[in-house]
Amino acid sequence: MHNEEPGREKDQQPEDEAKPSLASMIGANSNIAQNADGGIDVLSTVGGVRGILETVLPGFIFILVFAFSSNLTWALIASIGLGVIFMIIRLARRSTLIQSASGLIGILICAFAARHTGNAKDYYIPGFYTSAAYLLAMLISVVIKWPLIGLLFGFIRNEGVEWRNKADRLRRYQIATWIIIGVFALRLAVQLPMYYMDHVVALGVARGLMGVPLYAAGLWFAWLVSKPAQTVADGTPGPVTN
């Protein structure tokens, strides 16, 4: 006689079917988009044209209004107002609430920092902390040989974490992570002197140009540098496909 409960065998699913793999979960939440040939779609990854506008324009509007009016209040109102408009557009297009509100929350944090001190240049302080935090996290990941770009790209490429057992793959992902570290380091190296020298307009322009555009370029270059080299039947290196 069998003691299995009725229907138990029917309802039970193989573990690999019942639970999504870690690779699929990372890939689904990474925001890294790929094109048809397996390469990285940089424009889609940074949110497309709309995502770039939502990220860059509020800061530009802030510094533009402040440059012409020297009025912090009006500059903050213009920046926040544009953020609200972007959120309304996203809600009208049935985007999720988190997606719709995330950009506005970032603007509000910057606005609070500037209003709290009454100094327009402090609008950019939260960005310094964000860049420094990412730089530190990625630097630590390189030191302990778990490069964050490797974790991200590795799962997207269905390598899991097996790349850590291959010296060449680990080296490539270390270099790719250093590229993104360089992006954040360059932001701080250029913008912090502007902040301390009170070059508010120049700081605002630099923040816009060194935000999404610079990050997208770094991400694209990191993807190229970390491409795995395929091998053909005789074991010699073959063409790279992704």
Side-chain angles (χ1 to χ4, degrees), residues 22-189:
L22 182 57
S24 65
M25 288 189 291
I26 294 291
N29 294 288
S30 63
N31 294 325
I32 301 294
Q34 292 179 271
N35 51 35
D37 62 2
I40 187 171
D41 187 338
V42 175
L43 184 61
S44 296
T45 296
V46 297
V49 175
R50 184 175 68 179
I52 294 174
L53 292 177
E54 290 176 349
T55 303
V56 173
L57 281 185
F60 270 133
I61 289 296
F62 169 81
I63 202 60
L64 185 65
V65 173
F66 182 77
F68 280 99
S69 68
S70 298
N71 189 308
L72 177 61
T73 299
W74 283 112
L76 293 176
I77 290 175
S79 178
I80 295 172
L82 186 58
V84 170
I85 290 173
F86 282 138
M87 188 184 74
I88 291 173
I89 292 174
R90 279 195 173 271
L91 288 175
R93 295 189 177 186
R94 298 183 179 180
S95 297
T96 62
L97 183 60
I98 293 178
Q99 187 179 25
S100 303
S102 58
L104 180 59
I105 291 173
I107 295 171
L108 290 173
I109 291 173
C110 293
F112 174 80
R115 171 53 70 184
H116 180 68
T117 62
N119 197 326
K121 69 177 185 178
D122 291 333
Y123 182 89
Y124 301 103
I125 279 185
F128 294 142
Y129 284 110
T130 300
S131 293
Y134 276 116
L135 188 154
L136 181 60
M138 290 196 174
L139 188 59
I140 292 174
S141 76
V142 169
V143 171
I144 65 176
K145 295 185 177 181
W146 279 91
L148 289 178
I149 296 301
L151 293 175
L152 178 60
F153 287 174
F155 283 115
I156 294 172
R157 288 172 168 146
N158 294 318
E159 293 178 289
V161 293
E162 293 300 317
W163 51 266
R164 293 194 71 252
N165 300 321
K166 303 173 183 178
D168 179 67
R169 299 301 298 132
L170 175 59
R171 180 180 61 84
R172 285 175 180 264
Y173 280 133
Q174 293 272 63
I175 294 173
T177 304
W178 274 112
I179 291 172
I180 305 302
I181 289 174
V183 169
F184 293 115
L186 185 60
R187 286 180 183 175
L188 294 173

